[in-house]
């Protein structure tokens, strides 16, 4: 490690929080950092900033700061935040940003986190805000931002002095951590719910035994992070077996991809061209908001039978206090199929879509197969979302619909569509996905290679739909 003092950008609305931003700079310098004050004011400029707000705005081609200062607050936040993001990336490229810290209320936090979210993972980011006890999801997005409460929006006193000093010491210390990955092994990704965990563990263990690291992404919004890490080149193969955020997004759930994220789920692997094996795990359900926040329209769907209620009731299943299970309709499964096909058909790399016809999660299985190890104990009846196909009662009716639609929607020259007589929690299903992704990694993959993998691979022409 060299002895260079890390450059810490101290930023915020300097026209209203000037004392606070200068205190950040003073503390950063005391703890061994080199402070760089960047002004993100929305109402007026200041003379003491190292980087004036006028210079920040020029990164977006804006030469008249007065136009921003007189704009509606929401517009000014967007303009200054995006310009600040461009300036921060420029500073990073020039070697003039090793970390960033700010102290703000709601408006300043919204502005500054535009900047923080633009920076790569691993760059230290500390946001001090008295809004820390509120819903911080729109500020965090999918990035590694540390949000802490200084107990007050502004003012240096015997309480805030210590708290803010701690944060300044922390950002300087974090900026001096060597940029080492900790592993030389290639990195794969797998997506998971609690209701698909046994198969995720099977996949993770497979990669480990084959000399790879495997990161698990919980399908409650963190798939956005996976997408960004694929685009950055950190992740080079993916088993996207639980793209559950797609249903969460459909219902505007708390647990969808962050609204402040600018990407699209299930797009990065196709764009970059890395190996991807995709399954509809978790699309039988959505991790919806708690009952207290349940949309009345959706509750009515359960009362009318449009959505399957829990064990003959007219109510949804409560997963826990903060998560209630939404059950998608067949029309919504069709919309999800269309979305996924549109993304996968753009692939630039080896891609397979594998459908487990006997169910897509622990909640999507009949009592005859239920066990505690499979996530739904025998004696509790069918899983909360299990809906058998009328013609093929061992299969989910969602699965038979998706198979039919994907046969029409997917480009057979780009995507290998594989329907299997397995449940997603069957070890044999995990074996199949692992075989496919490893063939892709080993450059042995080709469309149609798995038609004879076992007698549990289904030929579309053998079944009527």
């Amino acid at each position: 490690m060299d002895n260079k003092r890390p450059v810490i950008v101290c930023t915020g609305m300097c026209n209203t929080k000037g004392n606070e931003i200068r205190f950040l700079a003073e503390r950063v310098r005391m703890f061994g950092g080199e402070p760089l004050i960047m002004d993100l004011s929305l109402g007026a400029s200041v003379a003491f900033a190292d980087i004036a707000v006028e210079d920040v705005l020029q990164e977006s081609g804006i030469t008249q700061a007065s136009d921003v200062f007189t704009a509606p607050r929401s517009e000014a936040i967007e303009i200054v935040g995006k310009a600040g993001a461009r300036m921060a990336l420029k500073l990073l490229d020039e070697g003039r940003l090793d970390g960033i810290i700010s102290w703000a209320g709601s408006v300043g936090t919204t502005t500054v986190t535009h900047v923080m979210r633009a920076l790569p993972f691993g760059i230290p980011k500390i946001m001090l805000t008295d809004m820390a006890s509120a819903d911080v999801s729109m500020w965090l997005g999918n990035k590694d931002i540390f949000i802490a409460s200084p107990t007050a929006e502004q003012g240096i006193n015997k309480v805030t002095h210590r708290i803010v000093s701690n944060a300044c010491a922390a950002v300087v210390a974090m900026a001096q951590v060597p940029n080492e990955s900790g592993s030389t092994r290639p990195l794969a990704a797998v997506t998971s719910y609690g209701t698909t965990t046994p198969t995720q563990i099977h996949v993770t263990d497979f990669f480990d035994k084959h000399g790879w690291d495997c990161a698990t992404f919980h399908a409650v919004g963190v798939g956005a992070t996976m997408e960004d890490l694929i685009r950055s080149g950190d992740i080079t193969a993916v088993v996207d077996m639980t793209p559950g955020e797609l249903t969460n997004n459909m219902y505007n759930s708390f647990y969808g991809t962050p609204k402040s994220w600018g990407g699209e789920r299930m797009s990065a692997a196709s764009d970059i061209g890395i190996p991807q094996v995709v399954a509809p795990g978790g699309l039988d359900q959505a991790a919806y908001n708690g009952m207290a926040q349940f949309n009345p329209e959706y509750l009515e769907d359960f009362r009318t039978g449009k959505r399957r209620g829990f064990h003959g009731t007219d109510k949804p299943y409560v997963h826990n206090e903060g998560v209630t299970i939404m059950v998608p309709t067949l029309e919504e499964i069709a919309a999800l199929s269309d979305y996924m096909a549109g993304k996968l058909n753009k692939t630039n790399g080896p891609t397979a879509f594998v459908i487990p016809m006997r169910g897509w999660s622990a909640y999507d299985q009949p009592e005859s197969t239920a066990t505690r190890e499979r996530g739904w104990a025998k004696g509790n009846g069918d899983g909360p979302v299990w809906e058998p196909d009328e013609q093929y009662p061992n299969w989910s009716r969602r699965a038979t619909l998706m198979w039919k639609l994907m046969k029409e929607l997917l480009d057979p020259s780009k995507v290998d569509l594989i329907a299997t007589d397995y449940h997603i929690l069957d070890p044999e299903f995990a074996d199949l996905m692992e075989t496919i992704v490893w063939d892709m990694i080993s450059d042995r993959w080709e469309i149609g290679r798995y038609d004879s993998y076992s007698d549990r691979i289904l030929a579309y022409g053998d079944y009527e739909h």
Side-chain angles (χ1 to χ4, degrees):
M1 187 191 312
D2 59 40
N3 295 318
K4 171 181 172 288
R5 291 166 65 91
V7 179
I8 307 299
V9 172
C10 304
T11 188
M13 298 172 62
C14 292
N15 66 318
T16 60
K17 302 292 191 299
N19 290 337
E20 288 71 27
I21 304 303
R22 282 182 284 196
F23 182 71
L24 293 177
E26 171 195 320
R27 296 280 101 181
V28 162
R29 189 179 300 281
M30 191 186 86
F31 291 119
E34 187 64 41
L36 186 66
I37 296 177
M38 181 169 72
D39 186 14
L40 297 179
S41 295
L42 305 183
S45 59
V46 301
F48 65 82
D50 299 305
I51 301 175
V53 68
E54 289 84 357
D55 295 332
V56 172
L57 291 170
Q58 284 182 6
E59 291 301 311
S60 291
I62 298 170
T63 57
Q64 295 295 324
S66 58
D67 293 342
V68 177
F69 296 157
T70 57
R73 184 54 59 92
S74 60
E75 292 181 19
I77 289 171
E78 189 81 2
I79 293 168
V80 175
K82 288 183 176 179
R86 292 188 178 96
M87 176 60 81
L89 290 172
K90 179 181 178 182
L91 294 172
L92 182 67
D93 188 57
E94 295 172 349
R96 299 172 64 203
L97 189 156
D98 299 303
I100 185 169
I101 188 169
S102 187
W103 182 1
S106 62
V107 171
T109 303
T110 305
T111 306
V112 170
T113 51
H114 268 290
V115 181
M116 293 182 175
R117 290 194 304 272
L119 292 168
F121 293 98
I123 297 296
K125 315 165 185 74
I126 296 183
M127 183 71 244
L128 291 158
T129 177
D130 62 331
M131 303 293 289
S133 61
D135 179 1
V136 300
S137 59
M138 68 174 179
W139 295 319
L140 283 175
N142 68 318
K143 283 299 177 71
D144 53 337
I145 301 172
F146 291 79
I147 293 186
S149 174
T151 72
E153 181 179 348
Q154 61 188 128
I156 314 301
N157 56 54
K158 64 181 181 181
V159 177
T160 58
H161 189 285
R162 177 63 185 273
I163 296 170
V164 175
S165 294
N166 287 345
C168 292
V171 74
V172 172
M174 287 190 286
Q176 296 179 86
V177 174
N179 184 19
E180 299 172 350
S181 67
S183 175
T184 59
R185 306 204 311 176
L187 180 62
V190 60
T191 52
S192 178
Y193 265 159
T195 56
T196 61
T197 293
T199 298
Q200 168 261 306
I201 292 174
H202 198 293
V203 172
T204 302
D205 288 346
F206 171 86
F207 275 109
D208 180 60
K209 290 173 183 175
H210 285 75
W212 282 54
D213 289 331
C214 186
T216 300
F217 293 90
H218 194 193
V220 289
V222 192
T225 300
M226 181 185 76
E227 300 280 335
D228 284 355
L229 289 172
I230 290 170
R231 292 190 185 279
S232 70
D234 292 293
I235 290 171
T236 52
V238 59
V239 178
D240 197 356
M241 53 166 273
T242 316
E245 285 119 340
L246 299 183
T247 44
N248 299 345
N249 289 345
M250 178 176 284
Y251 304 120
N252 198 30
S253 165
F254 293 158
Y255 306 103
T257 51
K259 291 180 173 57
S260 54
W261 180 56
E264 292 183 316
R265 190 66 176 82
M266 203 175 284
S267 63
S270 290
D271 289 347
I272 303 303
I274 67 169
Q276 60 174 332
V277 179
V278 181
L283 297 186
D284 53 295
Q285 62 193 261
Y288 193 62
N289 314 335
M291 283 297 290
Q293 296 83 28
F294 215 94
N295 186 320
E297 176 188 345
Y298 295 148
L299 283 177
E300 184 65 18
D301 288 346
F302 284 97
R303 282 192 287 268
T304 62
K306 180 179 179 180
R307 300 182 194 277
R308 185 179 187 275
F310 178 51
H311 286 186
T313 71
D314 59 359
K315 295 179 175 60
Y317 179 71
V318 177
H319 180 76
N320 59 46
E321 184 177 344
V323 178
T324 308
I325 299 303
M326 178 74 80
V327 183
T329 65
L330 293 181
E331 290 78 11
E332 288 165 345
I333 291 297
L336 291 168
S337 299
D338 187 69
Y339 177 91
M340 291 188 292
K343 297 302 179 189
L344 298 178
N345 283 341
K346 296 177 181 177
T347 185
N348 294 305
T351 300
F353 189 83
V354 190
I355 306 176
M357 299 297 291
R358 290 178 176 256
W360 299 348
S361 79
Y363 287 169
D364 192 25
Q365 62 178 320
E367 185 177 21
S368 59
T369 65
T371 64
R372 185 167 55 83
E373 292 74 20
R374 287 172 64 97
W376 189 255
K378 192 177 291 293
N380 289 318
D382 294 339
V385 304
W386 171 249
E387 296 184 44
D389 184 84
E390 291 182 0
Q391 189 173 358
Y392 302 101
N394 288 331
W395 297 348
S396 154
R397 67 175 187 154
R398 285 178 289 265
T400 54
L401 174 63
M402 182 172 283
W403 188 15
K404 176 183 178 181
L405 292 173
M406 285 303 201
K407 188 69 177 175
E408 299 169 355
L409 293 169
L410 285 174
D411 183 342
S413 70
K414 291 187 173 183
V415 184
D416 197 3
L417 173 61
I418 304 168
T420 70
D421 190 25
Y422 293 126
H423 191 278
I424 198 167
L425 296 180
D426 290 337
E428 295 87 351
F429 184 77
D431 289 337
L432 172 61
M433 289 193 299
E434 292 157 5
T435 297
I436 296 170
V437 76
W438 197 249
D439 282 347
M440 291 174 172
I441 291 168
S442 305
D443 201 27
R444 294 191 298 263
W445 176 82
E446 61 181 348
I447 292 174
R449 179 182 176 93
Y450 311 97
D451 293 350
S452 303
Y453 176 82
S454 78
D455 59 2
R456 304 290 286 276
I457 302 298
L458 304 171
Y460 187 79
D462 293 343
Y463 298 91
E464 297 179 1
H465 297 274

